[in-house]
Amino acid sequence: MEDPMNIDQVVKWLDTSMEEACDVAAPWIGSRRPRRKAYWWCEFVADLRRRCIRARRSWQRAKKRRRSEETIADLGVHYKHLRKDLRLEIGRRKSAAWQELLGSVDKDPWGLPYRLVLKKLKTASLGLTEVLEPEMLTDLLESLFPPNDEPDPVDDWSNFVWDNAWATSPTEVNEAIKKATSSWTKAPGPDGLRMAVWRRSTREFLHWVSHLFNLCLSKGEFPLEWKGANLVLIPKENTPSAGLPKVRPICLLNDIGKTFERVLEIRISRWQEGSPESDVSEFQFGFRRHWSTCDALRLLREIISSAVNDGGFAVVVSLDIQIAFNSLPWRIIRQALKEKLFPSYIRQIIDSYLADRTVWYIGRDGRSHSWPMEAGVPQGSVLGPVLWNLGFDCILDIAEDDENSNILCYADDTLVVVTGRNCELTCLKASILVNRVIDRIRGLGLSVATNKTEAILFTVKGWRSPELDFHRGHTGGIPTKHKVPRGHDRCALDIFGPLPICDWKNGACR
């Protein structure tokens, strides 16, 4: 390493040193393992095999030494009889073992038969990017990683002043490494080094890693090698036979880069704990410590119960955001960090983190290809969920001015909840609030899938519904009315269609 203050040289030196250490500790070629005994093998079969081999060798020696034809013929017949007996015995042993295997299925469903079948099913197969047509793959990648057509300005950090109080220590790096999953079965990033390898690194390596992280923070540069990711497309259920397949893109990043992300994630969390103005809304339940879907469901139940038990109504609308994590513009994240008054060194390194990102995939030709990532947060990263919560947080404060309206979120899953004493007025308020939320979401550069948007009305048992007006807003915000017939037999509908009516206490819908 020529210059220890050069980030690229330190990154390459760390990777090369770790590869050399792995090669020394685990040679590529080891001693040959002993052969495993066949499942039908037994001592009787071994004795038959020894006798068969002995007879074959006697027959072959007789032919080489030019014995009499009668002797050679007798030895040959004797060998063939022994070989037939050996094959018949192996067949009987295989048949008996098969029957025993079938009989063990009922006794132990997760035993040897299950493991044998599972081993057959785990055969390697080509990835989805290797089997799709190039034109279809291009369309799929464009839909998963949409380009950013809007300007994305970055702040000028020429006057940035580094403070040594922001420096990382080997202890902090070691804690971040210990928090990561170190399974040997977990797929590594482009460098091929798993977290289990980094966990076994020496203290000297930790000092160098800490030195590298401090260089990145002081210069505001996130290494380019850590921005590249291997793309894995996981098919979803109910994939249509025609058109583009439904997939979930997973980005496999370098574990050492994810360790740096984890250090930043811990510092962001600590800053939010000490600065409440930098924290996200209390109604965001996704990707937060000590928060879960159970808390979101408990709050939703309390809101609905409070309204219905008092003789009122509750309208709940769920919104589905299309390719949310991959389409959130980077300028929205930068703006949220600035408005929430995060430290300058964190904003500077995030600016570098959200630039020049690339995903790599294997094409149908067997070669590696790259695709630029111009928006969104990588699915599989450590900082991605944190940055999503910060960028999407402005949606949750729309309903703060009305105590009967709430917006609940779990990551990108958004619920709009409106309660009231009058059914028509409650539906009207819900439609207005939903349109405000949709307009704000579109202002972030995201889009809502209206065909997946669902609404439901909660009320008491025995309530007879008049014809309701549920409003739908256009792009210009002008509402149009949609008449809802009395009663309905479905429990979840499109927001722009009839509202189902549910008995909250008994769980019945009509």
Side-chain angles (χ1 to χ4, degrees), residues 325-342:
F325 294 103
N326 289 342
S327 57
L328 181 65
W330 290 340
R331 67 179 184 277
I332 301 299
I333 300 175
R334 295 190 176 102
Q335 181 181 355
L337 290 171
K338 188 175 183 179
E339 292 177 352
K340 291 182 177 294
L341 304 178
F342 276 88

Side-chain angles (χ1 to χ4, degrees), residues 162-351:
W162 169 255
D163 189 347
N164 289 328
W166 299 331
T168 63
S169 64
T171 303
E172 185 180 6
V173 174
N174 191 30
E175 291 178 356
I177 291 177
K178 287 182 178 179
K179 287 186 177 181
T181 304
S182 60
S183 174
W184 284 101
T185 60
K186 190 175 181 180
D191 60 0
L193 298 175
R194 292 180 171 87
M195 181 54 66
V197 177
W198 291 102
R199 275 197 174 187
R200 288 163 173 78
S201 59
T202 61
R203 183 169 294 276
E204 183 180 356
F205 259 92
L206 293 180
H207 281 281
W208 277 106
V209 172
S210 177
H211 169 69
L212 174 60
F213 289 177
N214 289 330
L215 284 180
C216 296
L217 291 175
S218 61
K219 296 184 178 182
E221 297 180 16
F222 199 91
L224 192 62
E225 288 80 0
W226 298 349
K227 298 180 185 181
N230 292 336
L231 179 63
V232 178
L233 301 179
I234 301 178
K236 295 182 179 179
E237 296 181 356
N238 303 324
T239 299
S241 56
L244 297 178
K246 294 183 179 180
V247 297
R248 185 180 304 279
I250 301 298
C251 300
L252 301 179
L253 299 161
N254 289 343
D255 281 327
I256 186 62
K258 292 172 69 174
T259 302
F260 186 38
E261 293 185 41
R262 190 167 288 104
V263 171
L264 296 176
E265 185 267 338
I266 293 174
R267 293 193 173 195
I268 290 176
S269 299
R270 291 176 180 173
W271 178 266
Q272 290 176 330
E273 292 175 359
S275 304
E277 68 276 2
S278 301
D279 203 357
V280 297
S281 172
E282 60 178 343
F283 297 111
Q284 174 60 267
F285 296 89
F287 307 130
R288 302 183 69 185
R289 288 188 179 92
H290 312 301
W291 296 70
S292 67
T293 51
C294 297
D295 300 306
L297 293 174
R298 187 180 300 110
L299 178 59
L300 177 63
R301 184 179 182 87
E302 292 175 357
I303 295 174
I304 296 176
S305 298
S306 177
V308 173
N309 293 340
D310 196 28
F313 305 89
V315 176
V316 179
V317 183
S318 66
L319 303 178
D320 183 83
I321 302 176
Q322 296 179 340
I323 54 174
F325 294 103
N326 289 342
S327 57
L328 181 65
W330 290 340
R331 67 179 184 277
I332 301 299
I333 300 175
R334 295 190 176 102
Q335 181 181 355
L337 290 171
K338 188 175 183 179
E339 292 177 352
K340 291 182 177 294
L341 304 178
F342 276 88
S344 57
Y345 81 97
I346 290 182
R347 291 172 48 208
Q348 183 186 24
I349 195 65
I350 296 299
D351 277 356

